[in-house]
Amino acid sequence: MSLKSIQRKREYTKYVVDKRLCYYEPSKNKFQKKLVEELSFTLNQKQKSIHPKFFYDKKGSKLFEEICKLPEYYLTRTEISILTQLYDKLPSHLNGDFRLVELGSGSSKKTRILISIIKRLQKHIEYFPIDISKILKDSSKILLDDYENLHMTGIIDNYESGLEFIKNYDNKKNLIAFLGSSFGNFDYEYGLKFLQKINYSMKNNDLLLIGLDLVKDKTVLERAYNDSRGITAKFNLNVLSRINSELNSNFNINKFTHHVLYNENQSRIEIYLRSLENQIVKIPKAGMVLQIKQNELIHTENSHKYTIPKIKEIFSLTGFRIKDMWFDEKQYFCLVLLSKTH
Ligand code: AVI
């Protein structure tokens, strides 16, 4: 499939910001259609839910950045400490020029570490961030000013569509980074399918670098998702404000509260919005009228935590070979470098 036909099929518009920066963005209708379609289904189930990908409008992305700086949210700083070790350890795995593809462009601090590692090894660097959030536009511009030899092509879309885009792009080797334990937000079955999809989009010499959060003490985990400043609560509640502004609904965020628990059997943090009273909410653009009971929970996110045997199982089931694994001192988090099994 040619780039033009992907552009047409996915309804992308290309925006050229600079000769070193362009991005592809799908039409607004596509997003709104998806939100309506998904919510009509997930909010009509016995266990109401809202998919976590809808957290990330501009405000949600800003709140997530604040979460990443919280003392209780050990994930970001721990992953950064492991990435810093890679200055010495990654180069031996990179033979020839690589393009950096990042799923979820996330914190630019992490991206900068990877760009700096690649920068030492090759003259020109291509960076393809794929992120559902428009925040990608601002973060890309900042990087442009800081790295002269950097060329960026942003894709503002979900990971699946972004991978499809990459797969058909060209023959250059890709280092795909999927950091922050974002993989942990997928359920087991979907996670396996997603890894197979990444595997299918990779060429034989491509690499995948994935960050995964590890099983640890329950109190450490629950604190990370229920911080003392209430930023995670704001982040969770913001999804309702987003739905209000995009679909003219009338969720009253004062009538919901943030609810978190660690499910030890499933090794995952579960996040909900708990209704403080019996209430009726209208979502006109989705043609929905919701009856929500007092204390009813709307599920908004799972965040899975992994053991080493589980990590090995997941990657062997999805056609990957583990090339290396790196940890922090406390073994809170790990980075796994993978190639396709040939
Ligand atoms: C993006 N993702 C990896 C975060 C996590 O830790 O699961 C999302 C998050 N939700 C609440 N705090 C952080």
PDB file of all heavy atoms in Angstrom, residues 31 51-65 67-68 73 106 131-135 156 159 180 182 185 235 238-239 242 246 300-301:
ATOM      1  N   PHE A  31     -12.243  10.940  15.254  1.00  0.00           N
ATOM      2  CA  PHE A  31     -12.114  10.799  16.698  1.00  0.00           C
ATOM      3  C   PHE A  31     -13.476  10.787  17.371  1.00  0.00           C
ATOM      4  O   PHE A  31     -13.771   9.950  18.212  1.00  0.00           O
ATOM      5  CB  PHE A  31     -11.290  11.947  17.294  1.00  0.00           C
ATOM      6  CG  PHE A  31      -9.830  11.629  17.370  1.00  0.00           C
ATOM      7  CD1 PHE A  31      -8.892  12.500  16.832  1.00  0.00           C
ATOM      8  CD2 PHE A  31      -9.389  10.474  17.982  1.00  0.00           C
ATOM      9  CE1 PHE A  31      -7.541  12.201  16.895  1.00  0.00           C
ATOM     10  CE2 PHE A  31      -8.050  10.176  18.061  1.00  0.00           C
ATOM     11  CZ  PHE A  31      -7.124  11.043  17.502  1.00  0.00           C
ATOM     12  N   HIS A  51     -12.721   3.640  28.000  1.00  0.00           N
ATOM     13  CA  HIS A  51     -11.373   3.187  27.633  1.00  0.00           C
ATOM     14  C   HIS A  51     -10.326   4.243  28.024  1.00  0.00           C
ATOM     15  O   HIS A  51     -10.533   5.435  27.782  1.00  0.00           O
ATOM     16  CB  HIS A  51     -11.316   2.921  26.122  1.00  0.00           C
ATOM     17  CG  HIS A  51     -10.119   2.123  25.727  1.00  0.00           C
ATOM     18  ND1 HIS A  51      -8.860   2.690  25.657  1.00  0.00           N
ATOM     19  CD2 HIS A  51      -9.972   0.810  25.423  1.00  0.00           C
ATOM     20  CE1 HIS A  51      -7.992   1.750  25.308  1.00  0.00           C
ATOM     21  NE2 HIS A  51      -8.644   0.601  25.158  1.00  0.00           N
ATOM     22  N   PRO A  52      -9.194   3.795  28.624  1.00  0.00           N
ATOM     23  CA  PRO A  52      -8.188   4.769  29.085  1.00  0.00           C
ATOM     24  C   PRO A  52      -7.588   5.634  27.975  1.00  0.00           C
ATOM     25  O   PRO A  52      -7.021   6.690  28.262  1.00  0.00           O
ATOM     26  CB  PRO A  52      -7.119   3.903  29.752  1.00  0.00           C
ATOM     27  CG  PRO A  52      -7.360   2.520  29.293  1.00  0.00           C
ATOM     28  CD  PRO A  52      -8.816   2.414  28.965  1.00  0.00           C
ATOM     29  N   LYS A  53      -7.694   5.226  26.723  1.00  0.00           N
ATOM     30  CA  LYS A  53      -7.098   6.072  25.672  1.00  0.00           C
ATOM     31  C   LYS A  53      -7.803   7.433  25.609  1.00  0.00           C
ATOM     32  O   LYS A  53      -7.230   8.411  25.137  1.00  0.00           O
ATOM     33  CB  LYS A  53      -7.121   5.383  24.309  1.00  0.00           C
ATOM     34  CG  LYS A  53      -8.483   5.234  23.695  1.00  0.00           C
ATOM     35  CD  LYS A  53      -8.388   4.513  22.363  1.00  0.00           C
ATOM     36  CE  LYS A  53      -9.781   4.151  21.877  1.00  0.00           C
ATOM     37  NZ  LYS A  53      -9.884   2.862  21.280  1.00  0.00           N
ATOM     38  N   PHE A  54      -9.041   7.504  26.162  1.00  0.00           N
ATOM     39  CA  PHE A  54      -9.758   8.780  26.132  1.00  0.00           C
ATOM     40  C   PHE A  54      -9.305   9.753  27.230  1.00  0.00           C
ATOM     41  O   PHE A  54      -9.769  10.877  27.296  1.00  0.00           O
ATOM     42  CB  PHE A  54     -11.282   8.545  26.182  1.00  0.00           C
ATOM     43  CG  PHE A  54     -11.782   7.771  24.990  1.00  0.00           C
ATOM     44  CD1 PHE A  54     -12.466   6.566  25.150  1.00  0.00           C
ATOM     45  CD2 PHE A  54     -11.545   8.233  23.706  1.00  0.00           C
ATOM     46  CE1 PHE A  54     -12.904   5.842  24.039  1.00  0.00           C
ATOM     47  CE2 PHE A  54     -11.978   7.515  22.592  1.00  0.00           C
ATOM     48  CZ  PHE A  54     -12.654   6.318  22.767  1.00  0.00           C
ATOM     49  N   PHE A  55      -8.375   9.315  28.087  1.00  0.00           N
ATOM     50  CA  PHE A  55      -7.808  10.228  29.094  1.00  0.00           C
ATOM     51  C   PHE A  55      -7.042  11.386  28.436  1.00  0.00           C
ATOM     52  O   PHE A  55      -6.925  12.458  28.994  1.00  0.00           O
ATOM     53  CB  PHE A  55      -6.751   9.500  29.953  1.00  0.00           C
ATOM     54  CG  PHE A  55      -7.293   8.633  31.052  1.00  0.00           C
ATOM     55  CD1 PHE A  55      -6.692   7.407  31.342  1.00  0.00           C
ATOM     56  CD2 PHE A  55      -8.364   9.047  31.833  1.00  0.00           C
ATOM     57  CE1 PHE A  55      -7.150   6.604  32.383  1.00  0.00           C
ATOM     58  CE2 PHE A  55      -8.828   8.250  32.881  1.00  0.00           C
ATOM     59  CZ  PHE A  55      -8.223   7.032  33.148  1.00  0.00           C
ATOM     60  N   TYR A  56      -6.474  11.095  27.251  1.00  0.00           N
ATOM     61  CA  TYR A  56      -5.398  11.971  26.754  1.00  0.00           C
ATOM     62  C   TYR A  56      -5.836  13.073  25.797  1.00  0.00           C
ATOM     63  O   TYR A  56      -5.382  13.129  24.667  1.00  0.00           O
ATOM     64  CB  TYR A  56      -4.273  11.114  26.155  1.00  0.00           C
ATOM     65  CG  TYR A  56      -3.730  10.153  27.186  1.00  0.00           C
ATOM     66  CD1 TYR A  56      -4.221   8.843  27.284  1.00  0.00           C
ATOM     67  CD2 TYR A  56      -2.793  10.573  28.123  1.00  0.00           C
ATOM     68  CE1 TYR A  56      -3.762   7.977  28.267  1.00  0.00           C
ATOM     69  CE2 TYR A  56      -2.334   9.711  29.107  1.00  0.00           C
ATOM     70  CZ  TYR A  56      -2.819   8.413  29.169  1.00  0.00           C
ATOM     71  OH  TYR A  56      -2.376   7.567  30.147  1.00  0.00           O
ATOM     72  N   ASP A  57      -6.754  13.946  26.247  1.00  0.00           N
ATOM     73  CA  ASP A  57      -6.925  15.196  25.504  1.00  0.00           C
ATOM     74  C   ASP A  57      -5.796  16.108  25.998  1.00  0.00           C
ATOM     75  O   ASP A  57      -4.925  15.662  26.766  1.00  0.00           O
ATOM     76  CB  ASP A  57      -8.329  15.798  25.716  1.00  0.00           C
ATOM     77  CG  ASP A  57      -8.599  16.171  27.173  1.00  0.00           C
ATOM     78  OD1 ASP A  57      -7.788  15.818  28.052  1.00  0.00           O
ATOM     79  OD2 ASP A  57      -9.623  16.803  27.447  1.00  0.00           O
ATOM     80  N   LYS A  58      -5.799  17.380  25.573  1.00  0.00           N
ATOM     81  CA  LYS A  58      -4.655  18.234  25.953  1.00  0.00           C
ATOM     82  C   LYS A  58      -4.512  18.324  27.472  1.00  0.00           C
ATOM     83  O   LYS A  58      -3.425  18.185  28.028  1.00  0.00           O
ATOM     84  CB  LYS A  58      -4.786  19.620  25.327  1.00  0.00           C
ATOM     85  CG  LYS A  58      -3.765  19.816  24.235  1.00  0.00           C
ATOM     86  CD  LYS A  58      -3.590  21.250  23.823  1.00  0.00           C
ATOM     87  CE  LYS A  58      -2.309  21.306  22.990  1.00  0.00           C
ATOM     88  NZ  LYS A  58      -2.071  22.518  22.302  1.00  0.00           N
ATOM     89  N   LYS A  59      -5.660  18.530  28.164  1.00  0.00           N
ATOM     90  CA  LYS A  59      -5.596  18.671  29.627  1.00  0.00           C
ATOM     91  C   LYS A  59      -5.153  17.355  30.274  1.00  0.00           C
ATOM     92  O   LYS A  59      -4.307  17.344  31.173  1.00  0.00           O
ATOM     93  CB  LYS A  59      -6.971  19.109  30.159  1.00  0.00           C
ATOM     94  CG  LYS A  59      -6.977  19.311  31.628  1.00  0.00           C
ATOM     95  CD  LYS A  59      -7.988  20.321  32.112  1.00  0.00           C
ATOM     96  CE  LYS A  59      -7.848  20.480  33.618  1.00  0.00           C
ATOM     97  NZ  LYS A  59      -9.133  20.326  34.307  1.00  0.00           N
ATOM     98  N   GLY A  60      -5.712  16.242  29.796  1.00  0.00           N
ATOM     99  CA  GLY A  60      -5.357  14.927  30.347  1.00  0.00           C
ATOM    100  C   GLY A  60      -3.871  14.644  30.162  1.00  0.00           C
ATOM    101  O   GLY A  60      -3.212  14.109  31.067  1.00  0.00           O
ATOM    102  N   SER A  61      -3.330  15.025  29.012  1.00  0.00           N
ATOM    103  CA  SER A  61      -1.902  14.780  28.760  1.00  0.00           C
ATOM    104  C   SER A  61      -1.053  15.629  29.699  1.00  0.00           C
ATOM    105  O   SER A  61      -0.005  15.170  30.187  1.00  0.00           O
ATOM    106  CB  SER A  61      -1.542  15.118  27.316  1.00  0.00           C
ATOM    107  OG  SER A  61      -2.303  14.315  26.465  1.00  0.00           O
ATOM    108  N   LYS A  62      -1.501  16.879  29.936  1.00  0.00           N
ATOM    109  CA  LYS A  62      -0.746  17.749  30.867  1.00  0.00           C
ATOM    110  C   LYS A  62      -0.785  17.149  32.273  1.00  0.00           C
ATOM    111  O   LYS A  62       0.217  17.107  32.983  1.00  0.00           O
ATOM    112  CB  LYS A  62      -1.353  19.157  30.903  1.00  0.00           C
ATOM    113  CG  LYS A  62      -1.110  19.931  29.632  1.00  0.00           C
ATOM    114  CD  LYS A  62      -0.322  21.230  29.908  1.00  0.00           C
ATOM    115  CE  LYS A  62       0.390  21.731  28.662  1.00  0.00           C
ATOM    116  NZ  LYS A  62      -0.521  22.379  27.698  1.00  0.00           N
ATOM    117  N   LEU A  63      -1.979  16.665  32.673  1.00  0.00           N
ATOM    118  CA  LEU A  63      -2.097  16.063  34.013  1.00  0.00           C
ATOM    119  C   LEU A  63      -1.222  14.816  34.105  1.00  0.00           C
ATOM    120  O   LEU A  63      -0.596  14.564  35.136  1.00  0.00           O
ATOM    121  CB  LEU A  63      -3.562  15.714  34.320  1.00  0.00           C
ATOM    122  CG  LEU A  63      -4.454  16.916  34.656  1.00  0.00           C
ATOM    123  CD1 LEU A  63      -5.923  16.540  34.624  1.00  0.00           C
ATOM    124  CD2 LEU A  63      -4.092  17.467  36.046  1.00  0.00           C
ATOM    125  N   PHE A  64      -1.157  14.053  33.017  1.00  0.00           N
ATOM    126  CA  PHE A  64      -0.309  12.859  33.059  1.00  0.00           C
ATOM    127  C   PHE A  64       1.161  13.249  33.233  1.00  0.00           C
ATOM    128  O   PHE A  64       1.901  12.598  33.969  1.00  0.00           O
ATOM    129  CB  PHE A  64      -0.514  11.978  31.822  1.00  0.00           C
ATOM    130  CG  PHE A  64       0.333  10.744  31.880  1.00  0.00           C
ATOM    131  CD1 PHE A  64       0.144   9.809  32.899  1.00  0.00           C
ATOM    132  CD2 PHE A  64       1.353  10.507  30.962  1.00  0.00           C
ATOM    133  CE1 PHE A  64       0.948   8.675  33.011  1.00  0.00           C
ATOM    134  CE2 PHE A  64       2.160   9.385  31.064  1.00  0.00           C
ATOM    135  CZ  PHE A  64       1.955   8.470  32.084  1.00  0.00           C
ATOM    136  N   GLU A  65       1.558  14.341  32.581  1.00  0.00           N
ATOM    137  CA  GLU A  65       2.944  14.816  32.780  1.00  0.00           C
ATOM    138  C   GLU A  65       3.193  15.157  34.239  1.00  0.00           C
ATOM    139  O   GLU A  65       4.267  14.896  34.773  1.00  0.00           O
ATOM    140  CB  GLU A  65       3.211  16.047  31.922  1.00  0.00           C
ATOM    141  CG  GLU A  65       3.565  15.682  30.500  1.00  0.00           C
ATOM    142  CD  GLU A  65       3.875  16.897  29.640  1.00  0.00           C
ATOM    143  OE1 GLU A  65       4.119  17.993  30.179  1.00  0.00           O
ATOM    144  OE2 GLU A  65       3.858  16.726  28.417  1.00  0.00           O
ATOM    145  N   ILE A  67       1.626  13.795  36.781  1.00  0.00           N
ATOM    146  CA  ILE A  67       1.689  12.501  37.494  1.00  0.00           C
ATOM    147  C   ILE A  67       3.123  11.970  37.456  1.00  0.00           C
ATOM    148  O   ILE A  67       3.666  11.494  38.449  1.00  0.00           O
ATOM    149  CB  ILE A  67       0.718  11.471  36.855  1.00  0.00           C
ATOM    150  CG1 ILE A  67      -0.732  11.849  37.142  1.00  0.00           C
ATOM    151  CG2 ILE A  67       1.020  10.045  37.328  1.00  0.00           C
ATOM    152  CD1 ILE A  67      -1.767  10.949  36.490  1.00  0.00           C
ATOM    153  N   CYS A  68       3.731  12.082  36.266  1.00  0.00           N
ATOM    154  CA  CYS A  68       5.071  11.509  36.082  1.00  0.00           C
ATOM    155  C   CYS A  68       6.108  12.150  37.001  1.00  0.00           C
ATOM    156  O   CYS A  68       7.162  11.575  37.241  1.00  0.00           O
ATOM    157  CB  CYS A  68       5.507  11.645  34.622  1.00  0.00           C
ATOM    158  SG  CYS A  68       4.524  10.600  33.550  1.00  0.00           S
ATOM    159  N   TYR A  73       4.768   8.376  42.208  1.00  0.00           N
ATOM    160  CA  TYR A  73       4.737   7.694  40.901  1.00  0.00           C
ATOM    161  C   TYR A  73       6.181   7.387  40.478  1.00  0.00           C
ATOM    162  O   TYR A  73       6.816   8.101  39.722  1.00  0.00           O
ATOM    163  CB  TYR A  73       4.013   8.560  39.865  1.00  0.00           C
ATOM    164  CG  TYR A  73       3.613   7.802  38.619  1.00  0.00           C
ATOM    165  CD1 TYR A  73       2.553   6.900  38.637  1.00  0.00           C
ATOM    166  CD2 TYR A  73       4.302   7.987  37.425  1.00  0.00           C
ATOM    167  CE1 TYR A  73       2.193   6.192  37.500  1.00  0.00           C
ATOM    168  CE2 TYR A  73       3.942   7.282  36.280  1.00  0.00           C
ATOM    169  CZ  TYR A  73       2.883   6.393  36.327  1.00  0.00           C
ATOM    170  OH  TYR A  73       2.517   5.691  35.189  1.00  0.00           O
ATOM    171  N   GLY A 106       5.027  10.530  24.774  1.00  0.00           N
ATOM    172  CA  GLY A 106       5.281  10.657  26.210  1.00  0.00           C
ATOM    173  C   GLY A 106       6.256  11.734  26.637  1.00  0.00           C
ATOM    174  O   GLY A 106       6.314  12.803  26.031  1.00  0.00           O
ATOM    175  N   ASP A 131       1.320   9.249  18.659  1.00  0.00           N
ATOM    176  CA  ASP A 131       0.606   9.540  19.901  1.00  0.00           C
ATOM    177  C   ASP A 131      -0.805   9.990  19.580  1.00  0.00           C
ATOM    178  O   ASP A 131      -1.015  10.763  18.647  1.00  0.00           O
ATOM    179  CB  ASP A 131       1.335  10.644  20.680  1.00  0.00           C
ATOM    180  CG  ASP A 131       0.985  10.619  22.152  1.00  0.00           C
ATOM    181  OD1 ASP A 131      -0.210  10.612  22.485  1.00  0.00           O
ATOM    182  OD2 ASP A 131       1.913  10.585  22.970  1.00  0.00           O
ATOM    183  N   ILE A 132      -1.741   9.524  20.385  1.00  0.00           N
ATOM    184  CA  ILE A 132      -3.137   9.900  20.167  1.00  0.00           C
ATOM    185  C   ILE A 132      -3.379  11.357  20.564  1.00  0.00           C
ATOM    186  O   ILE A 132      -4.334  11.985  20.134  1.00  0.00           O
ATOM    187  CB  ILE A 132      -4.070   8.933  20.937  1.00  0.00           C
ATOM    188  CG1 ILE A 132      -5.509   9.067  20.461  1.00  0.00           C
ATOM    189  CG2 ILE A 132      -3.988   9.136  22.440  1.00  0.00           C
ATOM    190  CD1 ILE A 132      -6.262   7.788  20.433  1.00  0.00           C
ATOM    191  N   SER A 133      -2.461  11.900  21.368  1.00  0.00           N
ATOM    192  CA  SER A 133      -2.672  13.255  21.879  1.00  0.00           C
ATOM    193  C   SER A 133      -2.007  14.307  20.997  1.00  0.00           C
ATOM    194  O   SER A 133      -0.883  14.125  20.523  1.00  0.00           O
ATOM    195  CB  SER A 133      -2.096  13.361  23.294  1.00  0.00           C
ATOM    196  OG  SER A 133      -1.995  14.705  23.646  1.00  0.00           O
ATOM    197  N   LYS A 134      -2.691  15.429  20.859  1.00  0.00           N
ATOM    198  CA  LYS A 134      -2.151  16.527  20.053  1.00  0.00           C
ATOM    199  C   LYS A 134      -0.962  17.193  20.737  1.00  0.00           C
ATOM    200  O   LYS A 134      -0.278  18.015  20.138  1.00  0.00           O
ATOM    201  CB  LYS A 134      -3.245  17.568  19.803  1.00  0.00           C
ATOM    202  CG  LYS A 134      -4.338  17.069  18.891  1.00  0.00           C
ATOM    203  CD  LYS A 134      -5.264  18.219  18.540  1.00  0.00           C
ATOM    204  CE  LYS A 134      -6.377  17.853  17.594  1.00  0.00           C
ATOM    205  NZ  LYS A 134      -7.097  16.630  17.827  1.00  0.00           N
ATOM    206  N   ILE A 135      -0.703  16.805  21.974  1.00  0.00           N
ATOM    207  CA  ILE A 135       0.442  17.378  22.701  1.00  0.00           C
ATOM    208  C   ILE A 135       1.733  17.079  21.933  1.00  0.00           C
ATOM    209  O   ILE A 135       2.729  17.757  22.064  1.00  0.00           O
ATOM    210  CB  ILE A 135       0.497  16.852  24.163  1.00  0.00           C
ATOM    211  CG1 ILE A 135       1.225  17.849  25.054  1.00  0.00           C
ATOM    212  CG2 ILE A 135       1.105  15.477  24.259  1.00  0.00           C
ATOM    213  CD1 ILE A 135       1.020  17.622  26.523  1.00  0.00           C
ATOM    214  N   ILE A 156      -0.449  11.532  14.627  1.00  0.00           N
ATOM    215  CA  ILE A 156      -1.395  11.727  15.731  1.00  0.00           C
ATOM    216  C   ILE A 156      -2.529  10.727  15.551  1.00  0.00           C
ATOM    217  O   ILE A 156      -3.500  10.979  14.823  1.00  0.00           O
ATOM    218  CB  ILE A 156      -1.914  13.177  15.759  1.00  0.00           C
ATOM    219  CG1 ILE A 156      -0.729  14.131  15.923  1.00  0.00           C
ATOM    220  CG2 ILE A 156      -2.933  13.371  16.887  1.00  0.00           C
ATOM    221  CD1 ILE A 156      -1.069  15.587  15.862  1.00  0.00           C
ATOM    222  N   TYR A 159      -2.074   3.651  18.378  1.00  0.00           N
ATOM    223  CA  TYR A 159      -0.866   2.900  18.055  1.00  0.00           C
ATOM    224  C   TYR A 159      -1.069   1.967  16.850  1.00  0.00           C
ATOM    225  O   TYR A 159      -0.195   1.842  16.000  1.00  0.00           O
ATOM    226  CB  TYR A 159      -0.428   2.022  19.239  1.00  0.00           C
ATOM    227  CG  TYR A 159      -0.149   2.767  20.507  1.00  0.00           C
ATOM    228  CD1 TYR A 159      -0.473   2.204  21.745  1.00  0.00           C
ATOM    229  CD2 TYR A 159       0.458   4.003  20.503  1.00  0.00           C
ATOM    230  CE1 TYR A 159      -0.207   2.860  22.932  1.00  0.00           C
ATOM    231  CE2 TYR A 159       0.731   4.672  21.689  1.00  0.00           C
ATOM    232  CZ  TYR A 159       0.393   4.097  22.900  1.00  0.00           C
ATOM    233  OH  TYR A 159       0.665   4.750  24.069  1.00  0.00           O
ATOM    234  N   GLY A 180       7.316   3.419  29.458  1.00  0.00           N
ATOM    235  CA  GLY A 180       6.382   3.879  30.485  1.00  0.00           C
ATOM    236  C   GLY A 180       5.415   2.825  30.995  1.00  0.00           C
ATOM    237  O   GLY A 180       4.463   3.144  31.682  1.00  0.00           O
ATOM    238  N   SER A 182       3.214   1.471  29.275  1.00  0.00           N
ATOM    239  CA  SER A 182       1.907   1.685  28.632  1.00  0.00           C
ATOM    240  C   SER A 182       1.310   0.351  28.197  1.00  0.00           C
ATOM    241  O   SER A 182       0.089   0.208  28.121  1.00  0.00           O
ATOM    242  CB  SER A 182       2.046   2.583  27.406  1.00  0.00           C
ATOM    243  OG  SER A 182       2.448   3.851  27.830  1.00  0.00           O
ATOM    244  N   ASN A 185      -1.362  -1.170  30.321  1.00  0.00           N
ATOM    245  CA  ASN A 185      -2.760  -0.731  30.286  1.00  0.00           C
ATOM    246  C   ASN A 185      -3.632  -1.633  29.403  1.00  0.00           C
ATOM    247  O   ASN A 185      -4.847  -1.469  29.347  1.00  0.00           O
ATOM    248  CB  ASN A 185      -2.871   0.734  29.825  1.00  0.00           C
ATOM    249  CG  ASN A 185      -2.196   1.704  30.787  1.00  0.00           C
ATOM    250  OD1 ASN A 185      -1.410   2.549  30.397  1.00  0.00           O
ATOM    251  ND2 ASN A 185      -2.484   1.567  32.078  1.00  0.00           N
ATOM    252  N   PHE A 235      -6.833  13.570  36.972  1.00  0.00           N
ATOM    253  CA  PHE A 235      -6.588  12.944  35.668  1.00  0.00           C
ATOM    254  C   PHE A 235      -7.738  11.996  35.331  1.00  0.00           C
ATOM    255  O   PHE A 235      -8.279  11.998  34.217  1.00  0.00           O
ATOM    256  CB  PHE A 235      -5.252  12.198  35.771  1.00  0.00           C
ATOM    257  CG  PHE A 235      -4.899  11.278  34.633  1.00  0.00           C
ATOM    258  CD1 PHE A 235      -4.474  11.777  33.420  1.00  0.00           C
ATOM    259  CD2 PHE A 235      -4.960   9.887  34.804  1.00  0.00           C
ATOM    260  CE1 PHE A 235      -4.110  10.925  32.386  1.00  0.00           C
ATOM    261  CE2 PHE A 235      -4.596   9.029  33.778  1.00  0.00           C
ATOM    262  CZ  PHE A 235      -4.177   9.559  32.559  1.00  0.00           C
ATOM    263  N   ASN A 238     -10.978  13.931  34.733  1.00  0.00           N
ATOM    264  CA  ASN A 238     -10.944  14.751  33.512  1.00  0.00           C
ATOM    265  C   ASN A 238     -11.565  14.042  32.310  1.00  0.00           C
ATOM    266  O   ASN A 238     -12.060  14.686  31.384  1.00  0.00           O
ATOM    267  CB  ASN A 238      -9.496  15.157  33.197  1.00  0.00           C
ATOM    268  CG  ASN A 238      -9.397  15.962  31.916  1.00  0.00           C
ATOM    269  OD1 ASN A 238      -9.965  17.061  31.826  1.00  0.00           O
ATOM    270  ND2 ASN A 238      -8.734  15.428  30.901  1.00  0.00           N
ATOM    271  N   VAL A 239     -11.568  12.703  32.342  1.00  0.00           N
ATOM    272  CA  VAL A 239     -12.150  11.997  31.193  1.00  0.00           C
ATOM    273  C   VAL A 239     -13.639  12.352  31.055  1.00  0.00           C
ATOM    274  O   VAL A 239     -14.175  12.441  29.946  1.00  0.00           O
ATOM    275  CB  VAL A 239     -11.893  10.459  31.274  1.00  0.00           C
ATOM    276  CG1 VAL A 239     -12.829   9.754  32.225  1.00  0.00           C
ATOM    277  CG2 VAL A 239     -11.979   9.826  29.901  1.00  0.00           C
ATOM    278  N   ARG A 242     -13.883  15.731  29.466  1.00  0.00           N
ATOM    279  CA  ARG A 242     -13.617  15.610  28.032  1.00  0.00           C
ATOM    280  C   ARG A 242     -14.870  15.150  27.281  1.00  0.00           C
ATOM    281  O   ARG A 242     -15.223  15.699  26.242  1.00  0.00           O
ATOM    282  CB  ARG A 242     -12.491  14.609  27.796  1.00  0.00           C
ATOM    283  CG  ARG A 242     -12.248  14.460  26.321  1.00  0.00           C
ATOM    284  CD  ARG A 242     -11.307  13.381  25.927  1.00  0.00           C
ATOM    285  NE  ARG A 242     -11.023  13.545  24.509  1.00  0.00           N
ATOM    286  CZ  ARG A 242     -10.136  12.844  23.862  1.00  0.00           C
ATOM    287  NH1 ARG A 242      -9.436  11.946  24.477  1.00  0.00           N
ATOM    288  NH2 ARG A 242      -9.942  13.042  22.578  1.00  0.00           N
ATOM    289  N   GLU A 246     -16.807  17.171  24.354  1.00  0.00           N
ATOM    290  CA  GLU A 246     -16.867  16.658  22.978  1.00  0.00           C
ATOM    291  C   GLU A 246     -18.246  16.152  22.590  1.00  0.00           C
ATOM    292  O   GLU A 246     -18.613  16.169  21.423  1.00  0.00           O
ATOM    293  CB  GLU A 246     -15.815  15.570  22.775  1.00  0.00           C
ATOM    294  CG  GLU A 246     -14.419  16.177  22.916  1.00  0.00           C
ATOM    295  CD  GLU A 246     -13.307  15.381  22.288  1.00  0.00           C
ATOM    296  OE1 GLU A 246     -13.572  14.531  21.428  1.00  0.00           O
ATOM    297  OE2 GLU A 246     -12.164  15.627  22.690  1.00  0.00           O
ATOM    298  N   THR A 300     -12.130   2.698  34.521  1.00  0.00           N
ATOM    299  CA  THR A 300     -11.448   3.545  33.539  1.00  0.00           C
ATOM    300  C   THR A 300     -10.052   3.031  33.135  1.00  0.00           C
ATOM    301  O   THR A 300      -9.553   3.405  32.088  1.00  0.00           O
ATOM    302  CB  THR A 300     -11.303   5.006  34.051  1.00  0.00           C
ATOM    303  OG1 THR A 300     -10.754   4.967  35.369  1.00  0.00           O
ATOM    304  CG2 THR A 300     -12.632   5.726  34.076  1.00  0.00           C
ATOM    305  N   GLU A 301      -9.434   2.200  33.977  1.00  0.00           N
ATOM    306  CA  GLU A 301      -8.087   1.740  33.590  1.00  0.00           C
ATOM    307  C   GLU A 301      -7.620   0.532  34.396  1.00  0.00           C
ATOM    308  O   GLU A 301      -7.942   0.407  35.577  1.00  0.00           O
ATOM    309  CB  GLU A 301      -7.080   2.882  33.816  1.00  0.00           C
ATOM    310  CG  GLU A 301      -5.711   2.628  33.237  1.00  0.00           C
ATOM    311  CD  GLU A 301      -4.773   3.821  33.373  1.00  0.00           C
ATOM    312  OE1 GLU A 301      -4.622   4.340  34.497  1.00  0.00           O
ATOM    313  OE2 GLU A 301      -4.207   4.236  32.360  1.00  0.00           O
TER     314      GLU A 301
END
